[in-house]
Amino acid sequence: MEVRVGHRKTRDDFVLYCPIELAKGIKKGIEKGKYQMTNLGLEKQCSHCKEFWPADSEFFYPQKGKGLHCYCKACYRYKRYLEKKHSQDAA
């Protein structure tokens, strides 16, 4: 599997998408403990489960103009599931 910064999935091959974050934002995130560099590369901490995951679109949804979402995909999906369940229970 190939990883290209700033590219999305193409028809020919599967490519992970890693939005380009500003170097200043990554540096600030590392200082705050939200990012870390490991032997696997740059990792981001999920704001919900507090686990570190690779900072790419396999684990986080991209946000237009902001980089990656603060929740990992699993926590984001779970949050949406609870919201949907709660709205159905209220109806």
Side-chain angles (χ1 to χ4, degrees), residues 16-50:
L16 292 177
Y17 174 69
C18 183
I20 300 171
E21 300 256 357
L22 296 175
K24 183 171 68 172
I26 292 174
K27 184 179 178 185
K28 192 175 181 180
I30 289 173
E31 290 171 359
K32 289 184 173 185
K34 295 180 180 182
Y35 286 92
Q36 69 181 8
M37 286 299 293
T38 66
N39 58 346
L40 298 174
L42 183 66
E43 293 187 347
K44 181 177 173 140
Q45 185 180 33
C46 172
S47 296
H48 186 257
C49 67
K50 306 299 183 200

Side-chain angles (χ1 to χ4, degrees), residues 64-75:
K64 197 171 194 175
K66 293 185 178 184
L68 297 169
H69 196 275
C70 63
Y71 284 8
C72 66
K73 283 186 174 182
C75 290

